[in-house]
Amino acid sequence: MLYVYLLLVSGVMTALIFLAVAVMAIKYRRKPGSQAHQIEGSTILELSWSIIPFGVMLTFFIWGAVIFFEERTPPADATEVYVVAKQWMWKIEHIRGQREINELHVPVGQDVKLIMTSQDVIHSFYIPAFRLKQDVLPGRYTTLWFKATKPGVYHLFCAEYCGTMHSGMGGDIVVMEPQDYAQWLETTPANPLEDTGKQLFANLRCTTCHRSDTQGRGPNLVGIYNKPVLLEDGRTVIADENYIRESIVNPTAKIVSGFKPIMPTFQGLVSEEQLNALVAYVKSLSQPATGTAELQNQPSASPAQTTNTQVQ
Ligand code: CUA
């Protein structure tokens, strides 16, 4: 739709300009005996031919921005997959704990959200068949989401030069029928990510301050995920994955209102995988049930089109 609108507006604008050029050329052509004379500018005319087209062009931006945000926002019920990039491989961990290297198994017809980070340099997660590409950065999460619509194997590339073996840093996205996927999940041994995180949370003694029963020296983390948090400096931030992650590796960056900056940093003490598990655990505290149980019985609604996110 936006594309048609772009063509239409561009067409009309082009026609107007050409028409004006043609009319002026004929109307004000050189005639024998007529003398050229200077005319003063018209402020109203000049303002209107600047402001009106500007307004028209702005509609491109607004419409485009709306589509961009819709397309970039993962559906709330998307299955989450954690991706850790390193020189030179893709380490994948499913929310239920299945681990893979350079392979990602997903079911057809299911929204999948990738939560990605790098443990060394900048990489880029690129699946040409899905029209998807996103930089994967050290020190923070970037996300992508897609819904595969056709079973098959699609090549994954690293699209950011990251060192000697950059060109070999590829893999496969294996899109399976839901029942095959369920079987794959069954046969791949795993410990749910949030359980790993819960274990870590206890081992790292986070529980001494972040209590779930009463308010401890640190904020109670139950129910905080994706909720606004009031900070000590008056700002309000959304407790998304990046916020939780930052609060672990750089706890003093955003102090929750009413608390003291007493938490030590865990930078360097936990690996990227452990961080992911901790983040998954904190997020699981905001879900009514286990949250990972419902993707078993997905109906096999499969429009016969190539895989993609929504493209308007
Ligand atoms: Cu990783 Cu290029």
Side-chain angles (χ1 to χ4, degrees), residues 85-90 118 120-125 136 157-163 165-170:
K86 64 167 276 196
Q87 290 166 319
W88 287 276
M89 65 174 76
W90 298 102
S118 164
D120 40 48
V121 299
I122 300 175
H123 303 270
S124 181
F125 194 91
V136 178
F157 292 90
C158 176
E160 182 73 52
Y161 181 68
C162 55
M165 294 289 288
H166 156 72
S167 62
M169 190 175 163

Side-chain angles (χ1 to χ4, degrees), residues 50-257:
S50 303
I51 291 170
I52 293 172
F54 176 67
V56 172
M57 299 303 160
L58 264 189
T59 60
F60 295 167
F61 164 72
I62 294 166
W63 194 341
V66 167
I67 291 177
F68 177 80
F69 280 110
E70 275 174 8
E71 198 207 305
R72 289 290 305 181
T73 311
D77 60 345
T79 304
E80 294 181 340
V81 174
Y82 286 84
V83 177
V84 178
K86 64 167 276 196
Q87 290 166 319
W88 287 276
M89 65 174 76
W90 298 102
K91 296 185 286 184
I92 311 279
E93 189 160 12
H94 293 256
I95 194 75
R96 291 207 215 150
Q98 289 84 1
R99 287 163 180 264
E100 316 186 61
I101 285 181
N102 292 340
E103 269 199 335
L104 168 58
H105 288 75
V106 292
V108 136
Q110 167 80 39
D111 297 327
V112 177
K113 175 183 174 187
L114 304 177
I115 303 166
M116 308 187 292
T117 189
S118 164
Q119 67 181 61
D120 40 48
V121 299
I122 300 175
H123 303 270
S124 181
F125 194 91
Y126 179 34
I127 319 170
F130 293 9
R131 313 289 188 270
L132 282 183
K133 180 153 75 174
Q134 172 62 54
D135 274 9
V136 178
L137 310 168
R140 79 172 94 156
Y141 289 124
T142 49
T143 58
L144 262 189
W145 78 275
F146 63 87
K147 179 183 190 173
T149 54
K150 195 175 154 193
V153 177
Y154 304 92
H155 199 67
L156 163 69
F157 292 90
C158 176
E160 182 73 52
Y161 181 68
C162 55
T164 320
M165 294 289 288
H166 156 72
S167 62
M169 190 175 163
D172 290 316
I173 312 295
V174 183
V175 179
M176 311 167 90
E177 292 291 354
Q179 57 271 29
D180 298 340
Y181 178 70
Q183 197 172 16
W184 178 82
L185 281 182
E186 290 303 315
T187 52
T188 312
N191 189 23
L193 204 52
E194 61 193 63
D195 293 357
T196 311
K198 187 177 184 178
Q199 193 71 52
L200 261 172
F201 199 78
N203 292 349
L204 295 168
R205 311 196 51 76
C206 311
T207 38
T208 49
C209 295
H210 296 285
R211 302 169 61 95
S212 54
D213 46 353
T214 61
Q215 200 62 269
R217 280 182 293 167
N220 183 340
L221 302 177
V222 175
I224 62 150
Y225 175 58
N226 253 345
K227 292 281 169 359
V229 177
L230 180 64
L231 301 182
E232 194 66 0
D233 59 12
R235 282 181 300 160
T236 300
V237 295
I238 298 291
D240 57 7
E241 287 103 356
N242 268 317
Y243 170 81
I244 300 170
R245 180 201 166 87
E246 182 186 53
S247 299
I248 298 168
V249 294
N250 187 11
T252 50
K254 297 193 175 75
I255 298 295
V256 177
S257 177

